[in-house]
Amino acid sequence: MPRLLHSGQAIVDLVMDVPGLPSPGGDVLARSANFEAGGGFNVMAAAARSGMPVVYLGRHGQGRFGDLVRAAMQAEGIRLSLACSPGADTGVCVALTDDSAERTFISHIGAEGELSAEDLAQVTVTATDYLYVSGYSLLQAHKAQALLDWLLELPATLPLMFDPGPLLALVEPALLAALLPRVDIWSSNRAEALQFTASQDIAEAMLRLAPQLAREALMVLRDGAQGCWLNQQGEAVRVPGFAVEAVDSNGAGDAHAGVFIAALAAGLAPLAAARRANAAAALAVTRRGPATAPRSAEVDVLLRAG
């Protein structure tokens, strides 16, 4: 059965619901504050809730944050490739969601920021596996190089999804130049694609992005409530979203990515997988917190209603 091998970072989110962000030097009272598993956990949980076996390849720390992340992964049936890393705790991200449902992050990297060739050598890869790489994994050059070397030694037939994230501009160009031709599925939001390609609109972004990826790469560009765009070999199509009342966009893109890759692994065509991912993301934004991806039965209900 196809598995998702997730090489990103599972961290802890300090989730705070605020009316708006304070001005520099100011303050604002949060309506709620909770510690929850987040980061790469969101994608893994979304895929697992869609029935896809998931293996977390990253490190996890020794301390209360590491304990929280491990418990969350174990509750979702996610298998851990590595033992606990002594001497450092898992990282934390302050995730602020304001009244517009927009989220703002401040992240601190912990034990998950490390990954070695020896760590990756322990991973058993099968011919039906799917690979997932986050742009955050490329921010630490030593981790990025170990991960890149490992990926490029694997068979090119293994589908690789890349989620660039908002900090791709900080990644060394040489690392990106080596990774992008291996990317089979690009999954990002509109803003990330426009920023990376220095484009004014999605059509231009897809045109500029395509030559940098694998020849038959599938581009998935999320466009908020509008749904998403698919592009493969120059054929672009918009897949409409679902009308919902959004309260928190934190984790919606992760829900989309996890459900999309699980749907592909289950044999769905990209268009059907995108519609399913749109439904999952729509349900996710109606709930507060980072890992709010629905289970398959909930997605089925919305698809039938839509």
Side-chain angles (χ1 to χ4, degrees):
M1 185 175 187
R3 302 178 303 166
L4 175 60
L5 305 184
H6 192 290
S7 65
Q9 293 70 230
I11 62 172
V12 168
D13 283 354
L14 171 54
V15 182
M16 306 183 80
D17 175 27
V18 298
L21 299 182
S23 58
D27 195 2
V28 63
L29 294 178
R31 291 180 286 247
S32 63
N34 298 290
F35 285 108
E36 301 185 36
F41 171 73
N42 302 343
V43 175
M44 292 188 283
R49 292 170 191 174
S50 288
M52 188 176 192
V54 180
V55 183
Y56 175 53
L57 308 186
R59 292 194 183 185
H60 40 102
Q62 185 180 55
R64 61 171 180 158
F65 294 148
D67 290 345
L68 191 157
V69 165
R70 278 187 295 277
M73 287 193 285
Q74 289 163 0
E76 299 287 349
I78 298 165
R79 189 169 72 81
L80 282 70
S81 174
L82 299 172
C84 173
S85 298
D89 203 353
T90 289
V92 64
C93 171
V94 179
L96 306 173
T97 302
D98 61 28
D99 282 345
S100 71
E102 186 57 273
R103 74 282 189 275
T104 302
F105 300 138
I106 303 173
S107 302
H108 177 265
I109 297 170
E112 73 288 345
E114 300 291 331
L115 194 65
S116 68
E118 291 74 22
D119 293 336
L120 293 166
Q122 301 180 42
V123 180
T124 300
V125 181
T126 69
T128 60
D129 288 337
Y130 282 70
L131 309 169
Y132 178 96
V133 176
S134 164
Y136 284 100
S137 296
L138 306 180
L139 294 177
Q140 281 74 41
H142 55 288
K143 173 179 180 176
Q145 193 60 59
L147 179 59
L148 184 60
D149 291 344
W150 179 74
L151 289 169
L152 295 181
E153 288 179 358
L154 295 175
T157 53
L158 295 174
L160 188 155
M161 173 184 273
F162 179 55
D163 188 339
L167 300 180
L168 197 59
L170 302 180
V171 175
E172 290 186 16
L175 292 172
L176 276 180
L179 174 66
L180 290 181
R182 177 62 181 85
V183 171
D184 302 293
I185 307 166
W186 168 286
S187 174
S188 76
N189 61 35
R190 166 197 281 265
E192 292 161 354
L194 296 185
Q195 180 185 41
F196 178 65
T197 59
S199 301
Q200 299 300 312
D201 56 50
I202 283 184
E204 182 182 10
M206 291 188 291
L207 186 65
R208 293 184 175 184
L209 186 57
Q212 302 183 62
L213 308 177
R215 187 172 63 86
E216 297 184 3
L218 174 64
M219 286 174 272
V220 185
L221 274 62
R222 302 182 296 274
D223 198 14
Q226 302 303 313
C228 70
W229 285 86
L230 295 182
N231 188 304
Q232 191 168 31
Q233 294 187 295
E235 295 187 13
V237 60
R238 185 176 73 85
V239 185
F242 293 79
V244 296
E245 185 175 346
V247 299
D248 186 354
S249 62
N250 186 11
D254 295 331
H256 195 283
V259 171
F260 183 81
I261 202 167
L264 288 182
L268 270 65
L271 191 62
R275 181 162 170 76
R276 192 167 189 85
N278 284 355
L283 290 169
V285 300
T286 65
R287 304 163 181 177
R288 296 195 181 277
T292 51
R295 299 194 178 276
S296 289
E298 299 174 88
V299 175
D300 292 338
V301 170
L302 183 56
L303 287 172
R304 287 195 294 267

PDB file of all heavy atoms in Angstrom, residues 98-121:
ATOM      1  N   ASP A  98      -6.094  36.162  13.314  1.00  0.00           N
ATOM      2  CA  ASP A  98      -6.856  37.378  13.617  1.00  0.00           C
ATOM      3  C   ASP A  98      -8.287  37.267  13.098  1.00  0.00           C
ATOM      4  O   ASP A  98      -8.706  36.222  12.584  1.00  0.00           O
ATOM      5  CB  ASP A  98      -6.145  38.610  13.051  1.00  0.00           C
ATOM      6  CG  ASP A  98      -5.992  38.569  11.539  1.00  0.00           C
ATOM      7  OD1 ASP A  98      -6.835  37.938  10.866  1.00  0.00           O
ATOM      8  OD2 ASP A  98      -5.034  39.178  11.019  1.00  0.00           O
ATOM      9  N   ASP A  99      -9.035  38.350  13.222  1.00  0.00           N
ATOM     10  CA  ASP A  99     -10.459  38.321  12.883  1.00  0.00           C
ATOM     11  C   ASP A  99     -10.728  38.137  11.396  1.00  0.00           C
ATOM     12  O   ASP A  99     -11.865  37.855  11.010  1.00  0.00           O
ATOM     13  CB  ASP A  99     -11.143  39.599  13.378  1.00  0.00           C
ATOM     14  CG  ASP A  99     -11.408  39.566  14.880  1.00  0.00           C
ATOM     15  OD1 ASP A  99     -11.322  38.473  15.468  1.00  0.00           O
ATOM     16  OD2 ASP A  99     -11.699  40.628  15.462  1.00  0.00           O
ATOM     17  N   SER A 100      -9.724  38.314  10.564  1.00  0.00           N
ATOM     18  CA  SER A 100      -9.906  38.075   9.132  1.00  0.00           C
ATOM     19  C   SER A 100      -9.660  36.606   8.781  1.00  0.00           C
ATOM     20  O   SER A 100      -9.734  36.231   7.612  1.00  0.00           O
ATOM     21  CB  SER A 100      -8.950  38.960   8.321  1.00  0.00           C
ATOM     22  OG  SER A 100      -7.610  38.518   8.464  1.00  0.00           O
ATOM     23  N   ALA A 101      -9.337  35.784   9.782  1.00  0.00           N
ATOM     24  CA  ALA A 101      -8.984  34.367   9.629  1.00  0.00           C
ATOM     25  C   ALA A 101      -7.585  34.189   9.062  1.00  0.00           C
ATOM     26  O   ALA A 101      -7.164  33.066   8.797  1.00  0.00           O
ATOM     27  CB  ALA A 101      -9.996  33.609   8.776  1.00  0.00           C
ATOM     28  N   GLU A 102      -6.834  35.274   8.890  1.00  0.00           N
ATOM     29  CA  GLU A 102      -5.451  35.165   8.438  1.00  0.00           C
ATOM     30  C   GLU A 102      -4.563  34.745   9.594  1.00  0.00           C
ATOM     31  O   GLU A 102      -4.828  35.042  10.753  1.00  0.00           O
ATOM     32  CB  GLU A 102      -4.972  36.511   7.878  1.00  0.00           C
ATOM     33  CG  GLU A 102      -3.588  36.472   7.248  1.00  0.00           C
ATOM     34  CD  GLU A 102      -3.468  35.445   6.133  1.00  0.00           C
ATOM     35  OE1 GLU A 102      -3.159  34.268   6.459  1.00  0.00           O
ATOM     36  OE2 GLU A 102      -3.690  35.802   4.976  1.00  0.00           O
ATOM     37  N   ARG A 103      -3.477  34.016   9.269  1.00  0.00           N
ATOM     38  CA  ARG A 103      -2.570  33.561  10.321  1.00  0.00           C
ATOM     39  C   ARG A 103      -1.187  34.147  10.096  1.00  0.00           C
ATOM     40  O   ARG A 103      -0.747  34.333   8.965  1.00  0.00           O
ATOM     41  CB  ARG A 103      -2.537  32.035  10.394  1.00  0.00           C
ATOM     42  CG  ARG A 103      -1.787  31.314   9.289  1.00  0.00           C
ATOM     43  CD  ARG A 103      -2.536  31.202   8.006  1.00  0.00           C
ATOM     44  NE  ARG A 103      -1.877  30.327   7.052  1.00  0.00           N
ATOM     45  CZ  ARG A 103      -0.912  30.688   6.219  1.00  0.00           C
ATOM     46  NH1 ARG A 103      -0.430  31.905   6.257  1.00  0.00           N
ATOM     47  NH2 ARG A 103      -0.397  29.836   5.353  1.00  0.00           N
ATOM     48  N   THR A 104      -0.515  34.425  11.218  1.00  0.00           N
ATOM     49  CA  THR A 104       0.840  34.976  11.214  1.00  0.00           C
ATOM     50  C   THR A 104       1.692  34.105  12.123  1.00  0.00           C
ATOM     51  O   THR A 104       1.269  33.745  13.217  1.00  0.00           O
ATOM     52  CB  THR A 104       0.844  36.430  11.724  1.00  0.00           C
ATOM     53  OG1 THR A 104      -0.022  37.222  10.891  1.00  0.00           O
ATOM     54  CG2 THR A 104       2.245  37.015  11.695  1.00  0.00           C
ATOM     55  N   PHE A 105       2.915  33.769  11.671  1.00  0.00           N
ATOM     56  CA  PHE A 105       3.750  32.827  12.395  1.00  0.00           C
ATOM     57  C   PHE A 105       5.053  33.468  12.858  1.00  0.00           C
ATOM     58  O   PHE A 105       5.625  34.317  12.176  1.00  0.00           O
ATOM     59  CB  PHE A 105       4.120  31.624  11.512  1.00  0.00           C
ATOM     60  CG  PHE A 105       2.942  30.844  11.006  1.00  0.00           C
ATOM     61  CD1 PHE A 105       2.905  30.395   9.691  1.00  0.00           C
ATOM     62  CD2 PHE A 105       1.877  30.560  11.826  1.00  0.00           C
ATOM     63  CE1 PHE A 105       1.832  29.667   9.216  1.00  0.00           C
ATOM     64  CE2 PHE A 105       0.799  29.827  11.365  1.00  0.00           C
ATOM     65  CZ  PHE A 105       0.775  29.389  10.057  1.00  0.00           C
ATOM     66  N   ILE A 106       5.530  33.006  14.011  1.00  0.00           N
ATOM     67  CA  ILE A 106       6.892  33.266  14.482  1.00  0.00           C
ATOM     68  C   ILE A 106       7.432  31.917  14.949  1.00  0.00           C
ATOM     69  O   ILE A 106       6.888  31.313  15.878  1.00  0.00           O
ATOM     70  CB  ILE A 106       6.942  34.288  15.630  1.00  0.00           C
ATOM     71  CG1 ILE A 106       6.287  35.605  15.208  1.00  0.00           C
ATOM     72  CG2 ILE A 106       8.392  34.528  16.065  1.00  0.00           C
ATOM     73  CD1 ILE A 106       6.155  36.609  16.344  1.00  0.00           C
ATOM     74  N   SER A 107       8.487  31.431  14.279  1.00  0.00           N
ATOM     75  CA  SER A 107       8.935  30.052  14.509  1.00  0.00           C
ATOM     76  C   SER A 107      10.308  29.993  15.153  1.00  0.00           C
ATOM     77  O   SER A 107      11.169  30.840  14.899  1.00  0.00           O
ATOM     78  CB  SER A 107       8.970  29.287  13.179  1.00  0.00           C
ATOM     79  OG  SER A 107       7.705  29.290  12.564  1.00  0.00           O
ATOM     80  N   HIS A 108      10.499  28.973  15.987  1.00  0.00           N
ATOM     81  CA  HIS A 108      11.810  28.666  16.559  1.00  0.00           C
ATOM     82  C   HIS A 108      12.117  27.204  16.283  1.00  0.00           C
ATOM     83  O   HIS A 108      11.319  26.320  16.606  1.00  0.00           O
ATOM     84  CB  HIS A 108      11.856  28.929  18.063  1.00  0.00           C
ATOM     85  CG  HIS A 108      13.159  28.559  18.684  1.00  0.00           C
ATOM     86  ND1 HIS A 108      13.382  27.342  19.286  1.00  0.00           N
ATOM     87  CD2 HIS A 108      14.325  29.237  18.779  1.00  0.00           C
ATOM     88  CE1 HIS A 108      14.629  27.289  19.726  1.00  0.00           C
ATOM     89  NE2 HIS A 108      15.217  28.431  19.426  1.00  0.00           N
ATOM     90  N   ILE A 109      13.263  26.944  15.673  1.00  0.00           N
ATOM     91  CA  ILE A 109      13.631  25.582  15.276  1.00  0.00           C
ATOM     92  C   ILE A 109      14.300  24.848  16.424  1.00  0.00           C
ATOM     93  O   ILE A 109      15.163  25.411  17.112  1.00  0.00           O
ATOM     94  CB  ILE A 109      14.555  25.623  14.053  1.00  0.00           C
ATOM     95  CG1 ILE A 109      13.807  26.233  12.869  1.00  0.00           C
ATOM     96  CG2 ILE A 109      15.050  24.224  13.694  1.00  0.00           C
ATOM     97  CD1 ILE A 109      14.676  26.543  11.676  1.00  0.00           C
ATOM     98  N   GLY A 110      13.902  23.607  16.648  1.00  0.00           N
ATOM     99  CA  GLY A 110      14.478  22.783  17.703  1.00  0.00           C
ATOM    100  C   GLY A 110      15.145  21.550  17.124  1.00  0.00           C
ATOM    101  O   GLY A 110      15.812  21.609  16.092  1.00  0.00           O
ATOM    102  N   ALA A 111      14.938  20.425  17.769  1.00  0.00           N
ATOM    103  CA  ALA A 111      15.597  19.176  17.365  1.00  0.00           C
ATOM    104  C   ALA A 111      15.268  18.786  15.935  1.00  0.00           C
ATOM    105  O   ALA A 111      16.096  18.175  15.241  1.00  0.00           O
ATOM    106  CB  ALA A 111      15.181  18.048  18.313  1.00  0.00           C
ATOM    107  N   GLU A 112      14.077  19.161  15.460  1.00  0.00           N
ATOM    108  CA  GLU A 112      13.664  18.789  14.101  1.00  0.00           C
ATOM    109  C   GLU A 112      14.480  19.492  13.016  1.00  0.00           C
ATOM    110  O   GLU A 112      14.399  19.150  11.840  1.00  0.00           O
ATOM    111  CB  GLU A 112      12.171  19.081  13.901  1.00  0.00           C
ATOM    112  CG  GLU A 112      11.803  20.552  13.777  1.00  0.00           C
ATOM    113  CD  GLU A 112      11.889  21.335  15.067  1.00  0.00           C
ATOM    114  OE1 GLU A 112      11.971  20.697  16.143  1.00  0.00           O
ATOM    115  OE2 GLU A 112      11.856  22.575  15.009  1.00  0.00           O
ATOM    116  N   GLY A 113      15.275  20.487  13.412  1.00  0.00           N
ATOM    117  CA  GLY A 113      16.128  21.177  12.452  1.00  0.00           C
ATOM    118  C   GLY A 113      17.352  20.377  12.044  1.00  0.00           C
ATOM    119  O   GLY A 113      18.097  20.797  11.153  1.00  0.00           O
ATOM    120  N   GLU A 114      17.586  19.248  12.691  1.00  0.00           N
ATOM    121  CA  GLU A 114      18.737  18.397  12.376  1.00  0.00           C
ATOM    122  C   GLU A 114      18.268  17.135  11.655  1.00  0.00           C
ATOM    123  O   GLU A 114      17.215  16.574  11.974  1.00  0.00           O
ATOM    124  CB  GLU A 114      19.466  18.000  13.658  1.00  0.00           C
ATOM    125  CG  GLU A 114      20.008  19.185  14.459  1.00  0.00           C
ATOM    126  CD  GLU A 114      21.161  19.873  13.761  1.00  0.00           C
ATOM    127  OE1 GLU A 114      21.887  19.195  13.013  1.00  0.00           O
ATOM    128  OE2 GLU A 114      21.325  21.096  13.946  1.00  0.00           O
ATOM    129  N   LEU A 115      19.050  16.700  10.680  1.00  0.00           N
ATOM    130  CA  LEU A 115      18.792  15.437   9.999  1.00  0.00           C
ATOM    131  C   LEU A 115      20.074  15.063   9.273  1.00  0.00           C
ATOM    132  O   LEU A 115      20.647  15.884   8.552  1.00  0.00           O
ATOM    133  CB  LEU A 115      17.640  15.566   8.997  1.00  0.00           C
ATOM    134  CG  LEU A 115      17.055  14.243   8.472  1.00  0.00           C
ATOM    135  CD1 LEU A 115      16.390  13.454   9.597  1.00  0.00           C
ATOM    136  CD2 LEU A 115      16.059  14.493   7.357  1.00  0.00           C
ATOM    137  N   SER A 116      20.533  13.851   9.473  1.00  0.00           N
ATOM    138  CA  SER A 116      21.825  13.448   8.919  1.00  0.00           C
ATOM    139  C   SER A 116      21.660  12.338   7.888  1.00  0.00           C
ATOM    140  O   SER A 116      20.602  11.698   7.785  1.00  0.00           O
ATOM    141  CB  SER A 116      22.746  12.948  10.044  1.00  0.00           C
ATOM    142  OG  SER A 116      22.258  11.728  10.577  1.00  0.00           O
ATOM    143  N   ALA A 117      22.747  12.101   7.163  1.00  0.00           N
ATOM    144  CA  ALA A 117      22.753  10.985   6.218  1.00  0.00           C
ATOM    145  C   ALA A 117      22.544   9.662   6.938  1.00  0.00           C
ATOM    146  O   ALA A 117      21.894   8.748   6.417  1.00  0.00           O
ATOM    147  CB  ALA A 117      24.077  10.975   5.448  1.00  0.00           C
ATOM    148  N   GLU A 118      23.069   9.558   8.153  1.00  0.00           N
ATOM    149  CA  GLU A 118      22.898   8.334   8.949  1.00  0.00           C
ATOM    150  C   GLU A 118      21.430   8.150   9.333  1.00  0.00           C
ATOM    151  O   GLU A 118      20.924   7.014   9.342  1.00  0.00           O
ATOM    152  CB  GLU A 118      23.766   8.389  10.194  1.00  0.00           C
ATOM    153  CG  GLU A 118      25.270   8.297   9.938  1.00  0.00           C
ATOM    154  CD  GLU A 118      25.854   9.571   9.344  1.00  0.00           C
ATOM    155  OE1 GLU A 118      25.232  10.655   9.504  1.00  0.00           O
ATOM    156  OE2 GLU A 118      26.926   9.498   8.715  1.00  0.00           O
ATOM    157  N   ASP A 119      20.736   9.253   9.654  1.00  0.00           N
ATOM    158  CA  ASP A 119      19.305   9.173   9.961  1.00  0.00           C
ATOM    159  C   ASP A 119      18.537   8.618   8.763  1.00  0.00           C
ATOM    160  O   ASP A 119      17.699   7.718   8.893  1.00  0.00           O
ATOM    161  CB  ASP A 119      18.750  10.556  10.297  1.00  0.00           C
ATOM    162  CG  ASP A 119      19.302  11.126  11.589  1.00  0.00           C
ATOM    163  OD1 ASP A 119      19.731  10.341  12.458  1.00  0.00           O
ATOM    164  OD2 ASP A 119      19.309  12.368  11.730  1.00  0.00           O
ATOM    165  N   LEU A 120      18.825   9.160   7.595  1.00  0.00           N
ATOM    166  CA  LEU A 120      18.079   8.777   6.398  1.00  0.00           C
ATOM    167  C   LEU A 120      18.435   7.385   5.917  1.00  0.00           C
ATOM    168  O   LEU A 120      17.618   6.719   5.266  1.00  0.00           O
ATOM    169  CB  LEU A 120      18.332   9.810   5.297  1.00  0.00           C
ATOM    170  CG  LEU A 120      17.751  11.196   5.597  1.00  0.00           C
ATOM    171  CD1 LEU A 120      18.310  12.247   4.650  1.00  0.00           C
ATOM    172  CD2 LEU A 120      16.219  11.170   5.520  1.00  0.00           C
ATOM    173  N   ALA A 121      19.647   6.932   6.246  1.00  0.00           N
ATOM    174  CA  ALA A 121      20.055   5.590   5.840  1.00  0.00           C
ATOM    175  C   ALA A 121      19.208   4.519   6.527  1.00  0.00           C
ATOM    176  O   ALA A 121      19.160   3.369   6.057  1.00  0.00           O
ATOM    177  CB  ALA A 121      21.531   5.374   6.153  1.00  0.00           C
TER     178      ALA A 121
END
